[in-house]
Amino acid sequence: MSSRPSAPTVGRPTGTREIPTIRRKDGLGGALAFRNDQLRFLGAGLDRYGDIFRFRPLGIPIVMVNHPDYIRHILVEKGESYDKDAVLFRVVRPVLRQGLIANPDMELWRRQRRMMAPHFTPRTVGNFARNMTDETALMLQRWERRPGEVLDVTDEIGQLALRIVNRSLFSAEVGATAQAFERAFGTANAILGAFFRFPFPPLNVPTPRSRKLHRAIDEMDTFVSTFIRARLAEDTPASEDADLLTLLLHSVDEEDGKGMDLEQLHHEVLNICIGAYETTTNTLSWAFYLLARHPEVEAKLHAEVDAALGGRSVPSFEDLASLPYTRMVIDETLRIYSPAYQFMRRAREEDTVGGYRVPAHTNILVNSYFLHRHPDFWEEPERFVPERFTPEAIAARPKHVYTPFGAGHRICIGKHFALTELILVLATVARRYRLTLPDAATEVVPEALITLHPKGGIHLRLEERR
């Protein structure tokens, strides 16, 4: 059990209390401590104050919440009272703009969600499963010439993720342009992650950093607009087997009968590219790293994949039901190293959370790196144990103690696409190869950017299964 202060009941009828605040005299550090090591600073705050506390990097008030009752209240029970006009999303908005991920306009967000949601259901995602396995099989063919090599797994999976998303979005094969997109996003991720931790000077000040960021944004915009212009010139009709871009071009809002304008379409396509690329790249990189460190888990994964596929080398969408342990490996990886490890909301009005008064316009931070390690709900949380995600174990936990895709009405629209891709890619690779620790392996640590990235990347040795 936790030694942290206990969490009061949400919405209790007694008088409200003020949220504990980290102060300079507490010895936890201030803005510089948050800037230098965000995870250590937040962990120290949780250890000192429990599951809710306030801190002020450069005078910006932020409240961190780390209890499933609080998260259910904010994201589900009163989800309409909390929006995305919060500091973290203001930081990333220069890249994501009015796309679904960071859109603060709730009416515009609802309209976009209505139009896009039908294209991201489990049934429609099945139409793109072949893209996922085909591209993975092509990657494995290239790996045939590299047995025994130490691969930069993060780079390999990053290129694969971009090929999958581009084939699903644009029906296109990409090479050097995808690598340019990957580099541009990496640059933006690092700059914006540093700016969130220490938001000075403002990004609209023409510093070398801001100019570098805008060059990266321009590269990503060019990547997306090239495909959109080409598709508009083709005037491709929508059909059941159409790619996502065609489906979005022909989407119409059921309430006003209109589609997206080209600027909004550009924003949504860019959001999909970034979301699909980053989730797959980081999750699978961490998954292969964790499997390399836990051969007993890898053996169970191989046994399941072999049994499910029989004599086949590549799984299909229909095989997902036969790969429950593979899904557990993915879920446990997402618990330990969620790429979208933090998100924020802004209180639109005064509220009470856990008996604490939350003033209007408060920035609320949820950090799943800590939520997914909460000692009251996860036994030995640093251990890699896929069995935490058996149906019985899931039912025994509060639902909102596990939030790799968020929760409530703004849960990630790409959840089904991401999970399908992660399971199918992992199973395809596991059918033929093992990725093992190099002889001089060192522990990989997470780097807290806007997303949670393996610092220095994951490097593993490629071995054919015998």
Side-chain angles (χ1 to χ4, degrees):
M1 295 298 288
S2 172
S3 60
R4 296 175 181 171
S6 60
T9 302
V10 169
R12 66 179 194 169
T14 55
T16 59
R17 293 182 286 175
E18 292 301 310
I19 297 169
T21 301
I22 294 179
R23 303 184 189 280
R24 188 182 303 274
K25 64 181 181 180
D26 295 341
L28 303 184
L32 288 178
F34 182 67
R35 176 189 187 180
N36 293 335
D37 195 331
Q38 176 184 337
L39 295 180
R40 177 176 291 182
F41 175 84
L42 295 177
L46 291 170
D47 289 339
R48 176 72 62 87
Y49 296 110
D51 291 327
I52 183 168
F53 64 89
R54 180 186 286 111
F55 62 105
R56 293 187 173 93
L58 292 188
I60 300 170
I62 297 174
V63 170
M64 182 168 176
V65 296
N66 194 55
H67 193 279
D69 290 348
Y70 300 169
I71 292 163
R72 183 184 69 245
H73 176 84
I74 292 165
L75 299 184
V76 181
E77 295 170 356
K78 299 198 70 175
E80 293 294 320
S81 298
Y82 290 84
D83 62 27
K84 284 197 172 183
D85 197 15
V87 61
L88 175 62
F89 291 112
R90 290 199 294 271
V91 167
V92 301
R93 202 159 290 136
V95 175
L96 301 175
R97 279 150 294 181
Q98 297 299 310
L100 285 183
I101 294 175
N103 193 327
D105 183 335
M106 295 182 78
E107 288 306 314
L108 176 58
W109 173 84
R110 288 189 187 94
R111 183 179 187 275
Q112 290 301 114
R113 184 87 179 202
R114 283 195 302 269
M115 281 193 285
M116 295 173 65
H119 310 314
F120 289 90
T121 64
R123 184 183 66 82
T124 53
V125 166
N127 296 332
F128 302 108
R130 184 68 180 269
N131 298 341
M132 302 169 185
T133 53
D134 281 355
E135 291 296 336
T136 308
L138 289 172
M139 179 184 73
L140 298 188
Q141 287 180 18
R142 293 188 289 272
W143 284 6
E144 288 176 356
R145 299 186 295 273
R146 305 176 66 183
E149 284 190 29
V150 175
L151 302 181
D152 183 339
V153 175
T154 305
D155 182 61
E156 293 284 331
I157 298 299
Q159 292 183 49
L160 171 64
L162 280 172
R163 285 193 293 270
I164 291 171
V165 72
N166 281 285
R167 183 165 165 178
S168 300
L169 259 171
F170 311 125
S171 299
E173 295 183 3
V174 290
T177 55
Q179 290 180 309
F181 182 94
E182 187 176 12
R183 287 193 298 270
F185 175 76
T187 296
N189 196 7
I191 291 173
L192 294 177
F195 185 74
F196 172 67
R197 297 191 302 275
F198 196 81
F200 186 83
L203 291 175
N204 58 2
V205 175
T207 62
R209 177 179 68 174
S210 66
R211 287 191 287 268
K212 187 176 181 181
L213 172 64
H214 288 296
R215 285 195 298 271
I217 293 171
D218 287 345
E219 286 187 46
M220 290 187 283
D221 281 341
T222 299
F223 178 82
V224 169
S225 62
T226 299
F227 288 107
I228 292 177
R229 286 197 302 269
R231 184 56 45 81
L232 289 171
E234 295 169 3
D235 192 25
T236 306
S239 62
E240 281 196 7
D241 60 349
D243 59 32
L244 274 171
L245 178 57
T246 299
L247 294 174
L248 294 176
L249 274 167
H250 290 85
S251 294
V252 175
D253 180 30
E254 61 187 20
E255 292 192 5
D256 63 23
K258 299 177 181 178
M260 301 181 213
D261 60 38
L262 289 182
E263 182 179 24
Q264 187 66 39
L265 176 68
H266 180 104
H267 295 167
E268 300 300 358
V269 170
L270 180 60
N271 276 233
I272 293 169
C273 285
I274 289 173
Y277 158 73
E278 187 67 1
T279 298
T280 300
T281 301
N282 285 334
T283 304
L284 285 172
S285 295
W286 285 118
F288 288 120
Y289 174 71
L290 289 166
L291 288 166
R293 293 178 64 91
H294 297 84
E296 74 286 356
V297 174
E298 183 189 58
K300 292 181 183 179
L301 171 69
H302 288 166
E304 176 179 87
V305 170
D306 293 350
L309 270 59
R312 292 174 292 130
S313 60
V314 177
S316 67
F317 183 75
E318 290 70 29
D319 289 315
L320 291 177
S322 302
L323 297 168
Y325 191 76
T326 310
R327 167 68 187 268
M328 286 187 248
V329 169
I330 293 298
D331 282 334
E332 177 70 342
T333 302
L334 287 168
R335 181 189 70 82
I336 299 175
Y337 297 119
S338 289
Y341 73 110
Q342 61 181 359
F343 55 89
M344 295 187 83
R345 295 291 187 270
R346 184 195 67 135
R348 304 177 74 187
E349 57 196 31
E350 184 167 317
D351 194 16
T352 301
V353 176
Y356 292 97
R357 185 178 73 90
V358 175
H361 311 304
T362 296
N363 292 287
I364 303 291
L365 173 65
V366 178
N367 188 301
S368 64
Y369 183 86
F370 295 103
L371 179 67
H372 293 172
R373 289 167 167 77
H374 199 302
D376 287 353
F377 305 101
W378 305 99
E379 185 177 354
E380 297 184 87
E382 294 296 339
R383 288 185 60 215
F384 179 55
V385 184
E387 287 79 7
R388 297 182 202 271
F389 290 92
T390 63
E392 298 77 16
I394 293 171
R397 285 191 301 270
K399 180 179 180 180
H400 296 98
V401 79
Y402 180 65
T403 59
F405 297 98
H409 67 295
R410 293 202 70 156
I411 193 169
C412 175
I413 196 172
K415 174 182 177 180
H416 298 303
F417 189 102
L419 287 172
T420 298
E421 181 178 6
L422 293 168
I423 294 167
L424 290 178
V425 172
L426 180 61
T428 304
V429 175
R431 186 75 170 96
R432 292 184 57 188
Y433 290 103
R434 298 180 65 219
L435 290 162
T436 62
L437 295 173
D439 297 335
T442 57
E443 183 177 359
V444 180
V445 297
E447 185 175 17
L449 307 177
I450 292 299
T451 55
L452 196 69
H453 194 77
K455 189 172 184 178
I458 304 290
H459 298 81
L460 299 171
R461 190 178 304 280
L462 179 66
E463 293 184 4
E464 291 189 66
R465 287 186 57 198
R466 302 298 182 187

